[in-house]
Amino acid sequence: MRVTFTVNGREQQADDVWEGESLLYVLRERMGLPGSKNACEQGECGSCTVRLDGVPVCACLVAAGQAEGREVVTVEGLAGDGLSAVQQAFVDAGAVQCGFCTPGLLVAADDLLERCPWPMSPSDADIREGLSGNLCRCTGYEKILDAVRLAAARRGEGA
Amino acid sequence: MSDVTRIPTSLTQGSQTAGGIGESKLRPDGTLKVTGEFAYSSDLWHEDMVWGHTLRSPYAHAEIVAVDTSAALAQAGVYAVLTYDDLPAAQKNYGLEIADTPALAAGRVRHHGEPVALVAADRKSVV
């Protein structure tokens, strides 16, 4: 079957997609967007987190056909001219180690901060809940929490 | 969303002198990893690439009486099926200190999941 949906603002199409094929597979293997990572393939680890019509989902658990006509944002779509605030905060706070969980965490953090616009500030509990679906095997959670706090705090600068 | 927000811990620890001991350095691969551009092995792609798969032992300890690769090789799209005998002499065994671990099992498997054969084919569905 053919699927057509918008990825990072651009309409994309894939042909000969098998009915059981995941959105993650189509993004990585058919659309040349390997930023979303394939790890557990069962929605446990969050490495494949993308936003589907704004909602964070595990792309490994979404059938490609379910994305038909909808909008997908992956880690490749976060940066504008430069890094987005949350991407820059991850680099600055030392929240990137092996980096395999990073794309999923960035998408989850991006959603969290969007749901909590300045001057609201996410509490530590909010951050932990927002990122609870993303596992880091390097166990670098403290720096990851720091990065989200930093991104949230920086929104106030120059405002 | 309100409650407590902890202040980010200081981004620099230890020495306050630029270039001094204890200065926090940015990761050289940090930017590539936050943009999704950093290519892990499973992200690599090439126009003419073939797909590989490892056949692994379902037994913890067993003698390999025979390996027949003919049926696999006869399948359309299969480029190669490699066993221990196909490995070049320098690649037959590996090990950190002593190279005594067979890269592919030779005559005997010694653990569940030990690699026995490698398959390369033009489509993922074939391997």
Side-chain angles (χ1 to χ4, degrees):
Chain A
M1 67 180 179
R2 166 179 291 184
V3 292
T4 309
F5 51 88
T6 306
V7 186
N8 301 328
R10 234 183 87 212
E11 191 175 282
Q12 297 248 35
Q13 194 170 297
D15 285 317
D16 301 322
V17 173
W18 170 57
E19 289 79 356
E21 213 164 286
S22 70
L23 172 61
L24 180 64
Y25 185 90
V26 169
L27 289 169
R28 287 179 54 85
E29 310 295 343
R30 297 186 186 274
M31 295 179 171
L33 293 166
S36 309
K37 298 303 175 212
N38 182 23
C40 76
E41 297 189 337
Q42 51 188 3
E44 285 287 335
C45 74
S47 303
C48 64
T49 305
V50 301
R51 295 179 73 175
L52 181 61
D53 284 344
V55 180
V57 294
C58 287
C60 71
L61 295 185
V62 175
Q66 288 177 276
E68 177 68 28
R70 299 169 75 179
E71 287 206 29
V72 177
V73 174
T74 72
V75 68
E76 287 98 336
L78 294 184
D81 288 337
L83 296 182
S84 73
V86 72
Q87 286 172 316
Q88 190 61 54
F90 266 64
V91 172
D92 293 344
V96 180
Q97 293 188 56
C98 93
F100 210 75
C101 69
T102 306
L105 275 160
L106 286 167
V107 172
D110 187 55
D111 168 69
L112 171 69
L113 293 177
E114 196 179 288
R115 284 188 285 116
C116 186
W118 179 261
M120 282 199 288
S121 198
S123 67
D124 279 8
D126 295 330
I127 298 173
R128 284 171 182 271
E129 189 189 354
L131 306 184
S132 61
N134 297 74
L135 304 182
C136 168
R137 281 207 71 182
C138 303
T139 68
Y141 293 107
E142 287 298 334
K143 295 295 184 189
I144 292 165
L145 298 179
D146 271 353
V148 180
R149 292 180 195 121
L150 182 63
R154 278 181 177 169
R155 297 183 301 179
E157 292 173 9
Chain B
M1 295 191 190
S2 56
D3 300 345
V4 190
T5 301
R6 240 170 64 186
I7 303 300
T9 53
S10 171
L11 295 179
T12 53
Q13 296 177 351
S15 171
Q16 297 299 309
T17 311
I21 293 171
E23 186 196 20
S24 289
K25 303 295 287 180
L26 292 181
R27 281 190 75 96
D29 55 4
T31 301
L32 288 175
K33 285 177 174 175
V34 296
T35 54
E37 286 173 87
F38 186 92
Y40 296 82
S41 55
S42 57
D43 301 335
L44 299 174
W45 194 85
H46 191 277
E47 193 63 49
D48 301 317
M49 74 178 186
V50 291
W51 293 84
H53 191 76
T54 307
L55 175 77
R56 295 175 181 276
S57 169
Y59 306 109
H61 192 192
E63 191 182 349
I64 300 175
V65 180
V67 179
D68 185 358
T69 61
S70 58
L73 279 168
Q75 276 200 58
V78 173
Y79 282 86
V81 181
L82 305 178
T83 61
Y84 180 82
D85 292 338
D86 299 304
L87 299 172
Q91 265 79 51
K92 283 194 188 296
N93 299 288
Y94 69 96
L96 194 58
E97 299 275 344
I98 304 163
D100 60 353
T101 307
L104 292 172
R108 181 175 296 278
V109 287
R110 294 183 175 82
H111 66 87
H112 179 276
E114 183 169 345
V116 176
L118 304 172
V119 183
D122 59 4
R123 296 188 309 283
K124 200 177 184 181
S125 57
V126 176
V127 299

